[in-house]
Amino acid sequence: MEQIADFLLRPLTPQDNTGIANVIRQVSAEYGLTADKGYGVADPTLDDMYSVYNQKGAAYWIIEHHGEIVGGGGFAPLVGESNVCELQKMYFLPQTRGHGLAKRIVALSLQLAKQFGYQQCYLETTECLREAVGLYEKLGFKHLDAPLGQTGHDACEVVMLKQL
């Protein structure tokens, strides 16, 4: 657990499934990222993320503000690629943005991914999330011409990769 300003950053627990799924749905709606367009909000595992990230080679962190889940992010193996992880499910409610929490979760993810033996970290996002794209660029992610792996998120036109 780590305290950052009024926020608590901690690992995902089974009790967090509903709260983080609600955050993802709210942020997706805010940006018009609908399930029918192939975004993460359509993932069948959305309501049981603990099962996804409670596996070897994966991790996910929750951000709490006064006991309420207000964001999260993490990584897991990239399906269809070896030695590559994917930064996943980085979603933050408006009150969470601008406090360096996304940067901290990315840093934790990259550090742990390297310890797990990954050589690269991949991500997919969309142009409408300009702040996120800018953050990833500042953190050393490079734009790719085509997607990697088998994420199923065909609507994400921004694909990026970072060497670990």
Side-chain angles (χ1 to χ4, degrees):
M1 285 197 251
E2 182 177 337
Q3 193 76 35
I4 302 171
D6 287 341
F7 300 95
L8 178 66
L9 179 62
R10 60 169 178 77
L12 175 72
T13 69
Q15 293 75 30
D16 298 326
N17 281 332
T18 300
I20 192 61
N22 288 339
V23 167
I24 292 169
R25 288 183 176 101
Q26 287 177 55
V27 174
S28 295
E30 176 187 352
Y31 285 94
L33 307 176
T34 57
D36 63 321
K37 294 181 182 167
Y39 291 106
V41 70
D43 287 354
T45 57
L46 187 62
D47 291 305
D48 187 15
M49 288 186 26
Y50 182 79
S51 294
V52 173
Y53 295 99
N54 187 36
Q55 62 172 312
K56 185 178 177 186
Y60 195 91
W61 293 271
I62 291 294
I63 299 168
E64 272 187 28
H65 187 251
H66 302 297
E68 180 185 345
I69 295 174
V70 293
F75 70 95
L78 178 59
V79 177
E81 297 286 331
S82 60
N83 301 317
V84 181
C85 67
E86 181 186 13
L87 197 61
Q88 298 177 340
K89 302 283 189 293
M90 299 281 291
Y91 289 88
F92 305 90
L93 293 178
Q95 70 265 36
T96 312
R97 300 173 196 154
H99 297 281
L101 296 160
K103 183 178 180 181
R104 183 67 185 129
I105 287 178
V106 172
L108 286 168
S109 294
L110 297 177
Q111 178 184 19
L112 192 54
K114 191 171 185 175
Q115 289 175 15
F116 286 169
Y118 291 109
Q119 295 172 355
Q120 299 173 310
C121 184
Y122 174 77
L123 66 85
E124 295 179 342
T125 189
T126 183
E127 283 295 342
C128 73
L129 299 174
R130 286 182 283 290
E131 299 91 345
V133 173
L135 172 66
Y136 299 139
E137 289 170 344
K138 285 180 190 166
L139 295 176
F141 283 84
K142 304 294 182 204
H143 290 268
L144 300 176
D145 294 330
L148 298 178
Q150 301 157 9
T151 65
H153 300 156
D154 54 352
C156 293
E157 75 282 4
V158 177
V159 291
M160 303 175 85
L161 188 70
K162 179 177 174 68
Q163 301 298 319
L164 300 179

